[in-house]
């Protein structure tokens, strides 16, 4: 959590650099291989800066509103990347939203959570967390994931892994209702379920909030970062897809790349919390990000799909369905006791490695 009343220099330079690169591209009318790399670095810097400024605002307004600021910021980035790539790629990218959301769930549920368990267990032997909050998160995540990624394979109004327009609208509403109810429980009615036991040495908890001026500056910079990410993603879309296809990898790898870029800041924050023996904070960050990703991204993309007439491929294939259900089942078991060790972390990381391997070599 930000501790200074002055924003770090890199968080100011990142959006400026992103916009400078965009202006250079627009003026030059083209981009070389090296310039594409610079655009990618600029986009990553803007993503990191956007989440940093969202954290500054979150620390100022406090919980529960801080969590919502960060979730909305990350979801805007994810939706922007998905829509930009779909607009550029056309019919070939109808499954991009599904691949990205599925990748986000697998990265969080196995990669992020597994790494936090492994690192925390290696340092402290055993880590504890509150069962009620984690159980609520997993129940909501399982419901949204199955309704959006598995059920389309078994509906009969439209043949194939698709929803009809009416079904898609219904699932979008249901996803928002589930996520909104979760936020209400987390932020208002049962906030104590999600609060970690804070020690006097917890610097993040006791750091002074930023001033109003700093918070307002972060708000403006956050908007600038998000706008830069949208435009940079649109510019990078052809290069990303061409690189994936040239490598002979399935197009689903593009979804993995998008999810990894978007979730990197949360992953780093969750890992830092686990190293500080605050696994509850790690799980709140990880599972909250997964819920925001699937609970808000699918409705947003569904609205765009209905408005533009796009066809969204949402249903997973048999291999991915098995991995998703296995991940939810194992997460329920490993997070069902309130205690974790390195064993649970290794199990989740093995599932994550299997997901990555079978994505590249299906």
């Amino acid at each position: 959590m930000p501790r200074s009343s002055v924003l770090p220099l890199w968080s100011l330079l990142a959006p400026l650099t992103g916009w400078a690169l965009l202006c250079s591209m627009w003026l030059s009318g083209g981009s070389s291989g090296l310039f594409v790399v610079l655009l990618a670095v600029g986009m990553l810097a803007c993503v990191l800066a956007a989440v940093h400024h969202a954290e500054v605002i979150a620390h100022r307004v406090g919980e529960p509103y801080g969590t919502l600021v960060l979730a909305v910021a990350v979801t805007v980035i994810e939706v922007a990347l998905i829509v930009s790539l779909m607009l550029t790629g056309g019919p070939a990218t109808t499954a991009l939203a599904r691949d990205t959301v599925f990748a986000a769930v697998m990265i969080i549920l196995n990669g992020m959570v597994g790494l936090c368990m492994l690192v925390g267990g290696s340092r402290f032997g055993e880590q504890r967390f509150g069962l009620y909050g984690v159980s609520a998160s997993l129940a909501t995540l399982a419901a949204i994931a199955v309704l959006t990624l598995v059920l389309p394979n078994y509906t009969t109004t439209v043949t194939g892994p698709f929803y009809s327009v009416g079904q898609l609208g219904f699932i979008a509403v249901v996803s928002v209702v589930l996520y909104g109810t979760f936020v209400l429980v987390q932020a208002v009615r049962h906030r104590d379920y999600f609060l970690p036991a804070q020690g006097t040495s917890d610097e993040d908890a006791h750091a002074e909030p930023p001033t109003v001026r700093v918070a307002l500056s972060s708000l403006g910079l956050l908007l600038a970062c998000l706008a830069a990410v949208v435009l940079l993603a649109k510019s990078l879309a052809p290069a990303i897809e061409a690189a994936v296809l040239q490598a002979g990898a399935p197009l689903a790898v593009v979804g993995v790349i998008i999810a990894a870029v978007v979730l990197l800041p949360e992953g780093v924050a969750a890992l830092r919390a686990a190293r500080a023996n605050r696994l509850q904070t790690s799980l709140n960050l990880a599972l909250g990000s997964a819920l925001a990703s699937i609970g808000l991204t699918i409705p947003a993309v569904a609205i765009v799909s209905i408005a533009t007439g796009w066809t969204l491929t949402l249903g997973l294939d048999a291999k991915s369905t098995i991995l998703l259900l296995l991940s939810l089942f194992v997460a329920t078991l490993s997070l069902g006791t309130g205690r974790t060790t390195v064993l649970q972390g290794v199990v989740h990381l093995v599932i994550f490695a299997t997901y990555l391997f079978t994505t590249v070599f299906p």
Side-chain angles (χ1 to χ4, degrees), residues 20 25 31 36 39 56 91 97 137 150 157 161-162 174 186 196 219 230 282 294 309 316 359:
M25 184 192 64
S31 58
V36 168
L39 289 177
V56 172
S137 302
V150 178
T157 301
F162 313 103
V174 167
Q186 181 188 38
L219 178 59
V230 173
S282 295
I294 193 169
L316 296 170
T359 299

Side-chain angles (χ1 to χ4, degrees), residues 63-76:
E63 297 297 342
Y65 309 106
T67 302
L68 296 177
V69 170
L70 187 55
V72 169
V74 171
T75 303
V76 167

Side-chain angles (χ1 to χ4, degrees), residues 1-2 14 38 93 106 114 120 142 153 166 195 207 219 251 257 260 263 267 272 288 291 303 316 345 354:
M1 190 68 67
L38 292 177
T93 59
M106 296 299 290
N153 291 321
L195 294 179
L219 178 59
L251 201 59
I257 294 173
L263 295 173
R272 288 174 56 192
L291 281 166
I303 292 173
L316 296 170
T354 303

Side-chain angles (χ1 to χ4, degrees), residues 15 20 60 62-63 84-85 124 136 145 154 174 193 210 227 284 306 308 318 361:
R60 174 64 194 181
E63 297 297 342
S84 297
L85 290 174
F124 304 102
Y154 302 98
V174 167
Y193 290 176
N284 287 346
I306 293 172
T308 60
F361 302 100

Side-chain angles (χ1 to χ4, degrees), residues 106 109-110 322-332 348 351:
M106 296 299 290
L109 209 55
N110 293 306
I322 291 173
L323 286 173
L324 174 63
L325 296 179
L326 175 64
S327 301
L328 293 170
F329 177 70
V330 171
T332 302
H348 280 274
I351 296 174

Side-chain angles (χ1 to χ4, degrees), residues 36-333:
V36 168
V37 174
L38 292 177
L39 289 177
V41 173
M43 185 182 71
L44 181 59
C46 287
V47 169
L48 295 173
V51 178
H52 172 81
H53 291 303
E55 289 181 338
V56 172
I57 299 169
H59 194 38
R60 174 64 194 181
V61 300
E63 297 297 342
Y65 309 106
T67 302
L68 296 177
V69 170
L70 187 55
V72 169
V74 171
T75 303
V76 167
I77 294 173
E78 186 172 4
V79 172
L81 292 174
I82 293 172
V83 172
S84 297
L85 290 174
M86 289 181 72
L87 284 172
T88 303
T93 59
T94 58
L96 183 61
R98 177 201 64 188
D99 294 337
T100 303
V101 169
F102 176 56
V105 172
M106 296 299 290
I107 289 172
I108 292 169
L109 209 55
N110 293 306
M112 192 184 300
V113 170
L115 189 59
C116 289
M117 289 178 178
L118 180 61
V119 170
S122 300
R123 297 195 68 181
F124 304 102
E126 181 181 85
Q127 291 186 299
R128 301 189 180 192
F129 58 90
L131 275 176
Y132 296 141
V134 171
S135 296
S137 302
L138 284 176
T140 309
L141 179 60
I144 300 178
V146 172
L147 289 175
T148 57
L149 301 177
V150 178
L151 185 59
N153 291 321
Y154 302 98
T155 55
T156 57
T157 301
V158 177
T159 304
F162 313 103
Y163 275 132
S164 67
V165 174
Q167 291 170 335
L168 186 60
F170 175 78
I171 290 299
V173 172
V174 167
S175 298
V176 172
V177 168
L178 285 173
Y179 181 70
T181 305
F182 171 78
V183 170
L184 176 65
V185 169
Q186 181 188 38
V188 181
R189 296 186 64 87
H190 300 285
R191 181 185 169 194
D192 55 307
Y193 290 176
F194 302 87
L195 294 179
Q198 299 286 2
T200 55
S201 61
D202 193 339
E203 297 179 7
D204 287 343
H206 299 285
E208 292 186 4
T211 63
V212 175
R213 180 183 62 82
V214 171
L216 290 176
S217 299
S218 285
L219 178 59
L221 290 168
L222 173 62
L223 297 176
C225 288
L226 294 178
V229 167
V230 173
L231 297 174
L232 286 168
K234 188 173 180 63
S235 302
L236 283 169
I240 293 175
E241 294 180 0
V244 170
L245 294 176
Q246 186 175 4
L251 201 59
V253 175
V254 177
V256 178
I257 294 173
I258 294 174
V261 169
V262 173
L263 295 173
L264 179 60
E266 277 90 342
V268 173
L271 185 60
R272 288 174 56 192
R275 286 176 55 85
N277 202 21
R278 292 185 289 114
L279 186 61
Q280 180 71 57
T281 300
S282 295
L283 294 176
N284 287 346
L285 282 167
L287 298 178
S289 297
L291 281 166
S293 176
I294 193 169
L296 296 179
T297 300
I298 291 295
V301 178
I303 292 173
V304 175
S305 172
I306 293 172
T308 60
W310 292 347
T311 299
L312 285 181
T313 304
L314 288 180
L316 296 170
D317 57 24
K319 168 184 67 68
S320 298
T321 300
I322 291 173
L323 286 173
L324 174 63
L325 296 179
L326 175 64
S327 301
L328 293 170
F329 177 70
V330 171
T332 302
L333 294 178

